[in-house]
Structure formats: C-alpha cells, structure tokens
Amino acid sequence: MRSRKARAIMVQGTTSSAGKSTVVSGLCRLLHRNGHRVAPFKPQNMALNSAVTEDGGEIGRSQAVQAMACAVACHSDMNPILLKPHSDQGAQVIVQGRPIGNFSAGEYHGYKELAMPHVLESWERLSRQYDFIVVEGAGSPAEVNLRENDVANMGFALEADCPVVLVADIDRGGVFAHLVGTMACLAPAERDLVRGFLINRFRGDRRLLEPGNDWLCGQTGKPVLGVLPWLGRLYLPSEDSVEEASETEAGTQALRINVPRLPRMSNHTDFDPLRLHPLVDIRFVGPGDAIPPADLVILPGSKNTVADLGWLKDNGWVDYLLRHLRYGGKLMGICGGLQMLGTAIHDPSGVEGPPGSAPGLGLLALETTLRTGKQLRNVTGAMLQGGERINGYEIHMGETTGLDRYAPLLALDDGRRDGALSDDRRILCTYLHGIFDTPEALESLLKWVRQDVATIRGGDDRPADPRVLLEREFDRLADAIEAELPLGRWLELMH
C-alpha cells in the first residue's frame, strides 16, 4: 500500500457488544476536541440500522453517529461494506454506499476477496483527508472460520498495517478467558499488531482487578492499557439491539405505544426520542408476547416487508389492529410499515424475496411496487398542519401509489409531499425515518395521538432532543477514556 497520511488505531472486540462502538465514539470526540481532524472507519458492518451520507450513499448508523462525534459529515467511505440481512442466510450487500445485490452467506464469503480492494480504496481516500482515523472491527477476530479473505478485523489490519487495541466486557464475566482465548486464536502476525487490552464496563474496587491484569500480561505478553468504568444510562444509538422499554415515570398517565418487534425491523433508532421522552411508555412486542393496550401502534421499517407482514398476520396483529382502531386507537406506519398498511405489495423482480405479490393489511387504499433502485435521501421540511420543522432521511426500494387520495403529512423542502393522514385522522404514514428527532415535530405527533400530552420536556438531566443528549454523551465518553488513557498515550499507540 502507499504510505498514508493519517495515523490510525483499530478497536476490535472479543465479542459482539464488547463496547467497540462506544470506545470509537469516545476516542473520536477526544481527538476532535483537541483540534485534530479525525474520521471513523468500519471496513465491514452488518446492521439493519443505517444512515444516508452526504454523497447520497448508505452506511451503518454507528459510523454516522461516530462522524457526529468527529463533527464531520458522514461519507460512504466511512463504511465501505454494509450487509443488511433480509433472512437468516441472506443479506443485501452495499458497497461504498450502493447496493450491488442480494447474496447468500456462502455467496458473500466467496465475494470477500473482491471486497477488499473497495475497502482499501475508501481507506486511502480517508487517509488523505484526515489526520487520524479510528477504525472499528466487527464481531470478533477469533472467528477462525471466517479468517479467509477477512475484511472486517485482522485481515484489514494486516493490509493497512494498523495497530489494534482489543476490548473486552468485564460486566458479562469471563473477561480474562475472552482475552486469552482471542489471542490464542490469532496468527503470530496478527498478535504482533495488538498493542494491548481495554477492559470495559468495570464497577468495583480496582485493586481487586490488578492481580488478574498482571496474570493476563504474563499469559499474553500484552498490557492492560486501561480499565473503562461502567457508565450508567449511556445513550448511543445502537446498531441492532432494541431496548425493551422506556424509563418513564409518568405511571398510568403515560402515553402507551406498541411497536411489533419484526424479525427484520430496520432503523429502530427512529424510536429513540420516544424511549427518552418522560411521558411515553413504549413497548417492543415480540412473538409470543401478549399485546398490551396502547394509545398508538407504530409499524416500523423492515428489510423484508412481505415476510414481516406475514409475521404480523401469524402473530395475531391483524385482529388486534382492527380492534385497536375500532376503540379509537391511533396507528402509524414508517417506511415498510407504510407499505404494509396498503392493499397490496408487489415484488415483480424478487427484490426482497421470491417474485410475486402479497395482500397488505388493507387499512389504506395504497399499493406498493418494490423496485431494484434504492431511494436514498436526506430531507428537510415541515409538517403541513402546524409548520413544525422536520429533519429525516429516506431509505426504501418501493414506490407507493394512492397517497394522493389522502391529506399529505409533510411538505419537503425539495418540493415533494410525503406521507398521508386518513380521513378519520386515525391512521398516519410516512416514508421518512427520523420523523421524531425534532422536538417540535415529536410534540405535534404525540398531540395527534392524545391531546392531553404535556409540552415536550426532558427530565432534570436528560434532554428531550436526542442531538443535544448525544453531544453530552460524546463528551462523557471522551472524559472517561482520557481519564484512563491520556491522549498522549493514544498517539503513541498510533505511531
């Protein structure tokens, strides 16, 4: 490879959810607030939560969040390979922001050799633009069955000659076994790239940990670089895991919202502002769960709309929704949820599954045809009734007809109209993700559900605006990282 301009460090983890994303976000903010131009990078990501970039591409949401920590616009080069699963054994493959097709697990494993040049091309471009790059691995480098043509972890680190810090989560237990076992699975050249370990989410007396750290260094020859504390109630939009419920203290007066936990639910970060709201009790209802009463039901986005619609029908949601509407409840569909509300979904080209058509819920006179071209847009606009500003994004492969039969919901700044409100004002739909992110729009939508909802407010220490809260959390992470491992030490590791 050509010598790069940027200095870099790669954060890998012993397991999924070890804390790679949080460490990268905190380190990005630490570098940024010390005056450095820094960018995040994840060679390969598998996630159903995604974001639209400034260049009109699509990347994993975690890299978009990390770009916010760097105070830069997100770009397709920050996550050159994105896998969006549409079944247990298949995924849509997105390369440098653009979908190239649906691959089975075996097909993608064969494609990885062709993926590496795209990864390195994006890496080179970022390296010429920034002073520092903080790289995030995926899953664990100990997955020896996936080592051939690896682009996600050590395969990339070797190609880029990038030093590695290995993170393990002590809160789940077995931290020393995780670290020793991971190192044992690595090839000698891969072990040489590891500069040391970060133990994450520690709570307790640090003195009790020291004998274990010394033993670990003796076993692996690598030091424990730092022990990061448990940070309670940390808010960062997740890649895929869904929070079970909100932390409301509003009791019986809370506005109750149900969201079906679809098998291929996408962009569930849409609901973070609702989870954070002190007057909202939001529940994600999975298979086998009793569906509780609610003021509002939201059908979320989906990576496989027809299959998830079948899941709704198989799990008792059709009768529940009809009863919910009959007794005055409100219903909302976002993106794939909008498509489900109509009379039919057509997939003539087999975009999400076998070619064919499927009947929708029939609650709105809409029809959707899935197309091979994906629509990716960052948009701004206003709600038509109250004028509240909105910021959001579109990620969908469907074209829906019949929306003009209803009152539109939004006036977008590019001249288009979006969404629909039924004649009886009980059903609302939109293609826009992020519609709840602006506090004023959130307040308006909650008042559509129930007029007695109080003015939007945060708790004493949790702002209602997710953007304000994110900025505070970036700094909290950076403070915790800097207290344990000062910036100067990080710069040495990147040498």
Side-chain angles (χ1 to χ4, degrees), residues 9 36 57 61 82 147 154 177 191 213 221 230 272 285 307 334 355 397 458:
I9 192 81
H36 301 293
R61 174 136 308 263
L82 174 62
R147 175 171 289 167
M154 285 299 179
R191 288 196 290 270
N213 292 350
W230 172 270
D272 284 355
V285 185
I334 299 176
M397 303 185 79

Side-chain angles (χ1 to χ4, degrees), residues 116-388:
M116 182 63 85
H118 297 294
V119 169
L120 297 178
E121 182 183 47
S122 291
W123 169 253
E124 284 285 332
R125 279 197 291 260
L126 286 181
S127 296
R128 291 192 294 266
Q129 297 175 54
Y130 293 93
D131 302 321
F132 294 90
I133 301 178
V134 185
V135 187
E136 181 183 345
S140 166
E143 295 162 345
V144 295
N145 57 308
L146 301 178
R147 175 171 289 167
E148 183 180 4
N149 296 322
D150 170 51
V151 299
N153 290 298
M154 285 299 179
F156 167 78
L158 287 168
E159 286 281 348
D161 191 24
C162 184
V164 173
V165 171
L166 197 57
V167 179
D169 179 4
I170 196 171
D171 191 60
R172 297 189 177 192
V175 68
F176 298 114
H178 284 172
L179 288 165
V180 170
T182 298
M183 291 294 288
C185 291
L186 301 182
E190 296 169 342
R191 288 196 290 270
D192 289 344
L193 287 175
V194 178
R195 299 294 182 258
F197 309 127
L198 283 178
I199 293 178
N200 193 28
R201 302 187 182 115
F202 178 77
R203 37 187 166 184
D205 189 337
R206 283 281 294 271
R207 293 171 297 180
L208 299 178
L209 194 59
E210 293 306 321
N213 292 350
D214 294 340
W215 175 88
L216 182 62
C217 186
Q219 291 291 314
T220 64
K222 307 291 182 179
V224 174
L225 298 169
V227 179
L228 302 179
W230 172 270
L231 296 177
R233 300 183 73 195
L234 179 68
Y235 167 68
L236 282 181
S238 65
E239 278 190 326
D240 275 315
S241 59
V242 181
E243 294 288 340
E244 293 298 324
S246 56
E247 298 179 9
T248 180
E249 298 179 359
T252 58
Q253 298 304 310
L255 191 150
R256 302 163 300 170
I257 299 176
N258 287 342
V259 180
R261 190 192 291 267
L262 303 176
R264 297 299 167 196
M265 177 167 58
S266 65
N267 294 81
H268 62 71
T269 48
D270 285 342
F271 306 114
D272 284 355
L274 297 171
R275 291 196 302 103
L276 294 168
H277 195 282
L279 299 179
V280 170
D281 178 13
I282 183 169
R283 306 285 170 177
F284 294 91
V285 185
D289 295 342
I291 309 175
D295 301 292
L296 170 66
V297 175
I298 305 177
L299 303 183
S302 168
K303 189 62 192 74
N304 194 326
T305 307
V306 172
D308 279 350
L309 178 59
W311 182 91
L312 281 179
K313 295 175 180 178
D314 293 342
N315 283 270
W317 280 90
V318 175
D319 289 341
Y320 171 84
L321 290 175
L322 293 175
R323 185 170 62 252
H324 169 78
L325 291 169
R326 188 164 59 248
Y327 285 97
K330 301 293 177 65
L331 176 60
M332 182 176 183
I334 299 176
C335 197
L338 174 153
Q339 297 169 356
M340 294 178 190
L341 291 171
T343 57
I345 301 172
H346 309 291
D347 190 0
S349 303
V351 171
E352 293 186 347
S357 298
L361 296 173
L363 298 174
L364 292 176
L366 310 175
E367 288 196 26
T368 297
T369 301
L370 302 181
R371 308 290 189 189
T372 54
K374 180 176 284 192
Q375 300 188 51
L376 298 166
R377 300 186 188 92
N378 286 311
V379 298
T380 57
M383 301 191 71
L384 277 167
Q385 289 200 330
E388 297 86 359

Side-chain angles (χ1 to χ4, degrees), residues 6-67:
R7 295 163 71 178
I9 192 81
M10 187 172 193
V11 179
Q12 297 186 19
T14 56
T15 62
S16 294
S17 301
K20 299 183 293 292
S21 295
T22 55
V23 171
V24 169
S25 296
L27 182 54
C28 283
R29 174 49 59 96
L30 179 59
L31 286 161
H32 162 67
R33 72 185 188 185
N34 279 273
H36 301 293
R37 277 187 53 80
V38 57
F41 184 75
K42 187 162 185 171
Q44 175 187 293
N45 198 350
M46 177 178 286
L48 287 173
N49 286 334
S50 58
V52 179
T53 62
E54 66 166 355
D55 57 314
E58 184 179 8
I59 63 173
R61 174 136 308 263
S62 59
Q63 281 60 68
V65 171
Q66 291 158 3

Side-chain angles (χ1 to χ4, degrees), residues 461-476:
D461 62 344
R462 291 177 74 82
D465 189 337
R467 296 165 298 183
V468 175
L469 180 54
L470 262 179
E471 287 296 317
R472 194 184 71 179
E473 298 293 66
F474 291 147
D475 286 324
R476 186 156 73 115

